[in-house]
Amino acid sequence: MRRAYNLRHVVSTSPPWSRYDRLGRLLLENRLMLEIRRLNVSIGGRKILDDCSLTVEDGEVAAIMGPNGAGKSTLAYVIAGRKDYRVESGEVILNGVDLLALEPDERAARGLFLAFQYPIEIPGVATMTFLKATLNAQRKQRGEAELSTPDFMRRVKGAAERLGIKPDMLKRALNVGFSGGEKKRMDILQMALLEPTFCILDETDSGLDIDALRVVADGVNTLRAPHRGFLVITHYQRLLDYIVPDRVHVMAEGRIVKSGGKELALELEKSGYRNYLTDPDQAVA
Amino acid sequence: MRSALPMVEAPGAAEIEALRPDFSHPGALAQRLVLVDGVFAPELSSAMPEGVRVRSLASVLNEGRADLIALLAPANADGADPILSLNAALMQDGVVIEVAPGARSDDPINLVYASTPGGPSARFSRSLIVVGAGASIRLAESLHVRAARADETFSGLQNFNCLQNFNCLIASVGEGATFNHTTRMTGGEPGGVRVESLIASIGAGAQFDSFALVTGAGLIRRQIFMRFQGPGAKSALRGVSLLRGREHADTTLVVEHAAPDCSGRQLFKYILDEEATGVFQGKIVVDPLAQKTDARMLSKALLLSDTAAMNNKPELEIFADDVACGHGATSGGLDADQLFYLQTRGLPFAQAEALLLEAFAGELIDGLGDENLAEVCRSEVRAWLSRRAPPGVHS
Ligand SMILES: Nc1ncnc2c1ncn2[C@@H]1O[C@H](COP(=O)(O)OP(=O)(O)OP(=O)(O)O)[C@@H](O)[C@H]1O
Ligand SMILES: [Mg+2]
């Protein structure tokens, strides 16, 4: 079903076909989820992403590590569709769909989810009201029927319990007055409920205590599936002990400068990012 | 201000009778007092709670009760304000509500302003509520919007829309009393003018709260003159105005602290779309003997288009030295980060916007303490939001 959808989309919306030779092959094998090609992004005239390229395959967990200010959050925001960045050139393709042409909510409806580095407080909007609105909005976009209230309640309660979110938090305004860790859990709760096909986690581990880290990692691990990809942005090897990545990418100065297996994270833990900032020959863009 | 239209004639018995179906169905407001074209209509009104006595303004003036007549012409506002002078000169009638000391009612007394169909015209009313010591009462003002009847032509309805309402309510809140006032200045009168004045004097240890929901008229002015008369009183004045088109709504406040130890809070919110204009002018006056005054005034405006405008004029006149006073005003668009966050969760832009706007207005509605009224207000806000132009027109 999905394969047919992907191919149709590539053919109908993204000519010329020849540019997609390699993508086409991956798609036919149903392996490619996210493809970022030579993305150049600036804000206020300052270049932040510099010819950034990255691919994540179906079912893969990819980690991005990199120094402060490297552009990790910017990449996440641009994939999700934040407006204040200027995309000068490049492409972001998810499941064969050109994301850059879509509104953030349309991207979400196509299965994208971003867990924010700093989840936003929404005063006056009850968490439950919000969860129901988002779930039904996405279902509507996909042509599915709205959830019945009991069905919705059952799903929320189940997911909240697994993530150690107390019922009284669900009654409060979204994220308002939540501790840093509580906000992160709330984002993961949304991820669990929305069942996206591609999840970006921007430093979801920062601000979490050790127990919460395990709970959140479990939340992610239970979602790991052949047709679901993850892009996990983190500064710490510790998270990757719990969410073991298939690939690790190093981002510096607005681009991916090195990619490798999970052992790359351990190496970074020892040697830091100095190499990647000073020696351009290391770059594997 | 635009010119005042000719005054409407006092309603005849047949015209009042014609309104009866609107007030005799099971869903009609209980505990209601109906003014038709500014004239009290006991025929359309219903029973009051225990300890509440109601007469028409005309009969009170005829009786010549000096105490009530003195309250009807309050020194702190009349004479100083042209709108009140106009109202004093042209008032047709109104109600005088006396709440006995200690009387209580959790359900509101509904003061309803109805109009008869006819050509463009103005109506003026003046009402008084005297809340006895220790009493606890709610008063809810609203505009009665008649449903179109089969026998009314379209042009008749249009005329019905060209109304001018100049209503004045005077409240005297006794010692230790609780008076909760709300007004819904809502109802479709695109060409209409509504001017509401509320003059309140608050006794020692009393609590006076007022909330206004304002939508849908060409020109609206709401003015409140309030005086803390005795020590230890508390008050919260709040309002939400939703404006679009070329609508104009003005809130003018004068809060006078004439006694020590009183606490006053004022918070007024505006949502302004298209070419609408909001005005907030609030003045806090602290008399020399009003030490330990705690006074705070704030207006917050959300501008949804480049052509909407908000004008703020806060003023403080403080003659006492041991007080905490502050005022502030914010205006701007919706928070881009919040909108983006909601969109990433799958809410289309228009829906994300509506959710945030509802929350902005809802903050004040949630605190009303009357769940029926809160629900009415919420649905009016939703109805207003649902009539917004589709996204992309302004964004
Ligand atoms: N809205 C903005 N306005 C101006 N500069 C910005 C803006 N957003 C990001 N930047 C700049 O872009 C660069 C990349 O920021 P980004 O937040 O993407 O880094 P990061 O890799 O996520 O860092 P960290 O590890 O600290 O989270 C930084 O130098 C930052 O100051
Ligand atoms: Mg970041």
Side-chain angles (χ1 to χ4, degrees), chain A residues 172-192:
Chain A
R172 285 155 60 183
L174 181 63
N175 289 334
V176 178
F178 289 18
S179 74
E182 287 170 341
K183 286 179 186 170
K184 300 289 174 92
R185 287 189 209 211
M186 186 53 73
D187 257 22
I188 299 301
L189 173 73
Q190 293 166 37
M191 185 170 91

Side-chain angles (χ1 to χ4, degrees), chain A residues 11-47:
Chain A
V11 172
S12 62
T13 66
S14 307
W17 174 252
S18 63
R19 268 163 54 203
Y20 290 89
D21 280 356
R22 197 173 62 84
L23 292 179
R25 183 174 49 76
L26 281 166
L27 270 174
L28 285 172
E29 291 164 15
N30 203 8
R31 273 175 45 210
L32 187 77
M33 291 216 81
L34 181 74
E35 165 87 4
I36 295 166
R37 279 171 70 93
R38 307 197 62 172
L39 194 58
N40 286 281
V41 170
S42 66
I43 187 161
R46 196 182 135 209
K47 188 155 213 173

Side-chain angles (χ1 to χ4, degrees), chain A residues 43-57:
Chain A
I43 187 161
R46 196 182 135 209
K47 188 155 213 173
I48 297 178
L49 297 186
D50 183 7
D51 248 1
C52 180
S53 296
L54 171 73
T55 56
V56 181
E57 289 182 17

Side-chain angles (χ1 to χ4, degrees), chain A residues 43 46 48 66-74 82 84-85 117 203 235:
Chain A
I43 187 161
R46 196 182 135 209
I48 297 178
N68 295 129
K72 304 181 297 295
S73 293
T74 302
R82 197 160 132 164
D84 37 5
Y85 298 102
Q117 181 169 359
E203 294 196 26
H235 285 293

Side-chain angles (χ1 to χ4, degrees), chain A:
Chain A
M1 189 61 209
R2 163 125 109 275
R3 188 191 313 236
Y5 177 75
N6 290 344
L7 281 174
R8 195 180 62 230
H9 239 273
V10 170
V11 172
S12 62
T13 66
S14 307
W17 174 252
S18 63
R19 268 163 54 203
Y20 290 89
D21 280 356
R22 197 173 62 84
L23 292 179
R25 183 174 49 76
L26 281 166
L27 270 174
L28 285 172
E29 291 164 15
N30 203 8
R31 273 175 45 210
L32 187 77
M33 291 216 81
L34 181 74
E35 165 87 4
I36 295 166
R37 279 171 70 93
R38 307 197 62 172
L39 194 58
N40 286 281
V41 170
S42 66
I43 187 161
R46 196 182 135 209
K47 188 155 213 173
I48 297 178
L49 297 186
D50 183 7
D51 248 1
C52 180
S53 296
L54 171 73
T55 56
V56 181
E57 289 182 17
D58 209 349
E60 187 178 281
V61 173
I64 295 189
M65 305 183 81
N68 295 129
K72 304 181 297 295
S73 293
T74 302
L75 179 64
Y77 283 143
V78 170
I79 297 172
R82 197 160 132 164
K83 289 268 164 24
D84 37 5
Y85 298 102
R86 211 176 101 83
V87 177
E88 279 154 7
S89 62
E91 287 168 300
V92 179
I93 312 286
L94 178 67
N95 289 324
V97 178
D98 173 15
L99 285 191
L100 296 181
L102 301 178
E103 289 296 313
D105 55 296
E106 296 169 320
R107 302 181 194 201
R110 281 174 178 67
L112 182 70
F113 183 88
L114 167 62
F116 280 53
Q117 181 169 359
Y118 305 105
I120 308 291
E121 299 190 1
I122 315 277
V125 177
T127 301
M128 275 300 207
T129 311
F130 160 80
L131 291 175
K132 195 163 186 199
T134 55
L135 230 72
N136 282 331
Q138 291 208 16
R139 293 177 75 89
K140 194 171 159 193
Q141 283 237 22
R142 297 193 200 112
E144 295 164 12
E146 284 202 353
L147 284 177
S148 71
T149 302
D151 192 10
F152 165 75
M153 296 296 286
R154 191 160 359 93
R155 287 180 195 217
V156 174
K157 279 197 183 127
E161 221 170 88
R162 283 192 293 281
L163 288 165
I165 292 172
K166 290 180 223 95
D168 80 283
M169 256 169 76
L170 298 170
K171 291 188 192 130
R172 285 155 60 183
L174 181 63
N175 289 334
V176 178
F178 289 18
S179 74
E182 287 170 341
K183 286 179 186 170
K184 300 289 174 92
R185 287 189 209 211
M186 186 53 73
D187 257 22
I188 299 301
L189 173 73
Q190 293 166 37
M191 185 170 91
L193 289 172
L194 293 169
E195 299 179 324
T197 52
F198 196 87
C199 311
I200 304 171
L201 284 79
D202 191 357
E203 294 196 26
T204 297
D205 53 332
S206 61
L208 289 185
D209 62 43
I210 294 170
D211 294 336
L213 185 68
R214 193 167 288 140
V215 167
V216 164
D218 283 349
V220 171
N221 286 330
T222 49
L223 282 174
R224 279 180 93 150
H227 293 304
R228 186 172 282 136
F230 290 86
L231 192 58
V232 178
I233 298 169
T234 182
H235 285 293
Y236 304 106
Q237 160 61 33
R238 198 182 57 189
L239 177 71
L240 305 180
D241 289 339
Y242 295 108
I243 306 173
V244 180
D246 301 301
R247 301 278 289 166
V248 173
H249 304 274
V250 182
M251 187 167 194
E253 290 160 358
R255 62 168 79 193
I256 304 298
V257 292
K258 178 153 184 155
S259 302
K262 58 175 187 271
E263 64 290 342
L264 181 55
L266 293 164
E267 194 186 309
L268 289 169
E269 192 90 333
K270 284 200 213 89
S271 55
Y273 298 114
R274 267 223 329 260
N275 294 341
Y276 304 105
L277 294 172
T278 50
D279 189 357
D281 290 340
Q282 294 268 356
V284 191

Side-chain angles (χ1 to χ4, degrees), chain B residues 222 237-239 251 253 266-269 280 298-300:
Chain B
R222 181 159 192 260
L237 308 180
R238 301 195 171 99
T251 305
L253 295 181
Q266 296 91 41
L267 173 54
F268 286 81
K269 293 189 170 187
F280 179 80
L298 180 61
S299 85
K300 289 184 174 182

